[in-house]
């Protein structure tokens, strides 16, 4: 009577897109079609090419979209879906909507820039190279977003309702608990991305609530597995970060941090502020270079209701980063170029976090060849991205068609992760009040999903399968 089809994030960490078909006649051709998340594929070419494929059903037949959070690999394909004729509501929490209102237009802008670059240098086999969607198209799709608060039950069709529960991943992030009413009612949980289970002490830098909602009781669980084979270090990253900055500045170098412009960047600047105020690291100029940097700070400060006590304390102690001396938020391309030309030690935080696009590319072209500089990764780097190449110790990386030698130091602070690691995932699963009838792992490289499946089978005795791309599973 109902099935889920995995249209993305199956066998990989990007492109999250799950179609729920609830059909009265069991054929799957009619009935209610609901999409949970609508992310863009990033990383390897074989994945990115899937961004150009249409969804397997007519987009206008999709009743609604339930969006778990504002990361591009969960929301970045929405403008494309609208371009294909989707006109239904996009349900999301109010803070997710605020974040999407800056992230999606920025993504459209980057798509346009990429296409323009390929057309200028004839580096694409397509003539002309086209953007997946434009800034204007991304802006237009925002009219379909409809806010749904955490915990509120939303009826989306006569037989389907859902509510958002906290995922504790990023600002506004949620899991979608979907109830399908038929001859027997069924409960499905789509986790989106799962945040750190523990509090500030074991997950330093975590800004939102501690831990996803415990005590779930579901029939079908569709769960992420990004860190299904990983344990995050439990040490405080602050002393390590301070040492890296100090050493870099002492040798006359600069620190470059590729970071997602929203939230990740803000929590990093609060940490820098704390380190500088306490004298643990030198006061060098800090530049946040992103066209959406200022708006991102404003949204970050608007939604303090979702923050941990430690984050709230930091905000009340230091106020808005836009007012801090020595911290510059660059919005225009001109301001960005100025930072690029700076010859004195400084800290540059710029996006995109996986170096798949954006101004960070210019900063890395400039700084990677100099061994005095340091690149610090504070986020997940998907295989196939430039960030992954740099982080894995390569000698060179291709940016804007040119090979850039990597002579700068490269460091990674995994403690910043907003994803639960394997022990944390298992800890959360142990809080479930009953065993789900079936569990499908998505959003993980195959090795991570495999290991998590084995750990879950051993630790919990659950029936766990790894979702395959385009696979339909009956529920
Ligand atoms: Zn995410």
């Amino acid at each position: 009577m109902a099935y889920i089809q995995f249209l993305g994030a199956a066998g990989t960490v990007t492109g999250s897109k799950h179609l729920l078909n609830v059909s009265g006649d069991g054929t799957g051709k009619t009935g209610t079609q609901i999409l949970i998340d609508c992310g863009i594929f990033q990383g390897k070419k074989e994945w990115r090419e899937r961004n150009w494929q249409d969804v397997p059903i007519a987009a206008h037949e999709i009743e609604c979209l339930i969006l778990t959070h504002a990361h591009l690999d969960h929301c970045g394909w929405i403008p494309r879906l609208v371009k294909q004729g989707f006109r239904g509501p996009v349900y999301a929490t109010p803070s997710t909507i605020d974040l999407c209102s800056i992230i999606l237009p920025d993504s459209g802008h980057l798509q346009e820039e990429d296409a323009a670059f390929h057309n200028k240098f004839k580096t694409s086999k397509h003539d002309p190279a086209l953007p997946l969607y434009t800034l204007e198209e991304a802006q237009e799709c925002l009219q379909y977003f409809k806010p749904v608060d955490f915990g509120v039950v939303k009826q989306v069709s006569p037989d389907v309702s859902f509510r958002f529960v906290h995922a504790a991943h990023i600002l506004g992030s949620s899991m979608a608990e979907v109830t399908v009413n038929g001859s027997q009612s069924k409960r499905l949980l789509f986790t989106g991305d799962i945040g750190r289970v523990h509090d500030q002490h074991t997950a330093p830098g975590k800004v939102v609530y501690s831990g996803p909602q415990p005590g779930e009781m579901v029939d079908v669980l569709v769960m992420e597995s990004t860190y299904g084979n990983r344990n995050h270090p439990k040490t405080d990253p602050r002393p390590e970060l301070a040492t890296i900055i100090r050493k870099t500045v002492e040798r006359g170098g600069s620190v470059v941090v590729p970071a997602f412009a929203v939230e990740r960047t803000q929590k990093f600047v609060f940490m820098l502020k704390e380190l500088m105020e306490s004298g643990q690291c030198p006061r060098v100029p800090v530049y946040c270079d992103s066209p959406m940097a200022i708006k991102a700070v404003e949204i970050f400060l608007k939604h303090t209701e979702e923050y941990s006590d430690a984050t709230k304390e930091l905000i009340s102690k230091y106020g808005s980063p836009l007012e801090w001396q020595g911290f510059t938020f660059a919005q225009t391309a001109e301001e960005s170029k100025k930072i690029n030309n700076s010859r004195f030690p400084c800290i540059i935080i710029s996006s995109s976090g996986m170096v798949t696009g954006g101004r960070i590319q210019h900063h890395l072209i400039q700084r990677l060849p100099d061994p005095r500089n340091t690149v610090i990764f504070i986020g997940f780097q998907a295989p196939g991205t430039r960030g992954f190449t740099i982080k894995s110790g390569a000698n060179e990386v291709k940016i804007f068609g040119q090979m850039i030698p990597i002579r700068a130091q490269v460091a990674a602070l995994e403690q910043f992760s907003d994803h639960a690691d394997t022990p944390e995932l298992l800890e959360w699963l142990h809080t479930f009040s009953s065993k789900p009838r079936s569990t499908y792992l998505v959003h993980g490289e195959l090795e991570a999903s495999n290991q998590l499946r084995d750990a879950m089978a051993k630790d919990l005795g659950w029936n766990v399968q790894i979702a395959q791309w385009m696979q339909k599973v009956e529920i």
Side-chain angles (χ1 to χ4, degrees), residues 261 265-266 268-269 272 285-294 297 321-322 326-331 335-336 339 347-351 359 363:
T265 291
Q266 283 77 34
F268 190 73
V269 295
L272 287 178
V286 177
Y287 299 105
C288 292
D289 187 18
S290 156
M292 51 183 171
I294 293 174
V297 172
L322 299 176
F327 287 69
T328 308
F329 288 78
Q331 221 163 358
E335 288 166 329
S336 177
I339 301 168
I347 299 170
I348 302 166
I349 308 156
S350 185
S351 55
R359 293 180 184 170
H363 296 298

Side-chain angles (χ1 to χ4, degrees), residues 277-438:
E277 290 296 327
S278 62
Q280 292 175 72
C281 89
R283 283 181 193 269
V284 288
V286 177
Y287 299 105
C288 292
D289 187 18
S290 156
M292 51 183 171
I294 293 174
K295 271 195 207 152
V297 172
E298 284 161 0
I299 291 173
F300 184 82
L301 295 174
K302 180 178 159 192
H303 290 284
T304 47
E305 75 279 0
E306 287 190 35
Y307 294 155
S308 65
D309 290 343
T311 311
K312 281 183 192 157
E313 244 170 67
L314 275 180
I315 293 173
S316 70
K317 191 169 172 191
Y318 296 122
S320 168
L322 299 176
E323 311 289 327
W324 299 345
Q325 256 206 341
F327 287 69
T328 308
F329 288 78
Q331 221 163 358
T332 65
E334 282 312 305
E335 288 166 329
S336 177
K337 275 181 199 147
K338 255 193 211 162
I339 301 168
N340 211 343
N341 294 333
S342 162
R343 284 290 150 266
F344 300 101
C346 61
I347 299 170
I348 302 166
I349 308 156
S350 185
S351 55
S352 70
M354 297 195 280
V355 203
T356 48
R359 293 180 184 170
I360 186 70
Q361 300 172 103
H362 299 283
H363 296 298
L364 288 172
I365 288 177
Q366 190 79 14
R367 315 273 170 179
L368 273 176
D370 187 339
R372 291 176 301 170
N373 298 327
T374 305
V375 181
I376 307 179
F377 288 100
I378 56 170
F380 182 79
Q381 303 301 314
T385 60
R386 293 187 191 93
F388 183 86
T389 306
I390 301 167
K391 191 181 161 185
S392 30
N395 295 326
E396 51 181 13
V397 62
K398 196 174 188 179
I399 305 178
F400 289 129
Q402 32 170 330
M403 291 313 286
I404 309 297
I406 304 173
R407 297 192 199 100
Q409 315 292 312
V410 177
L413 296 172
E414 307 291 350
Q415 293 96 323
F416 281 92
S417 178
D418 282 322
H419 288 267
D421 65 7
T422 312
E424 290 172 355
L425 288 172
L426 291 172
E427 185 184 328
W428 174 63
L429 294 173
H430 269 291
T431 71
F432 276 48
S433 21
S434 65
K435 205 188 269 197
R437 202 163 35 79
S438 34

Side-chain angles (χ1 to χ4, degrees), residues 69 71 73-74 169 193 419:
H69 66 288
H71 277 155
D73 59 327
H74 292 258
H169 168 59
D193 288 351
H419 288 267

Side-chain angles (χ1 to χ4, degrees), residues 224-242:
E224 73 126 323
S225 53
T226 317
Y227 286 113
N229 59 348
R230 215 94 61 89
N231 289 18
H232 294 317
K234 301 289 188 255
T235 51
D236 187 339
R238 280 165 280 210
E240 201 180 335
L241 176 62

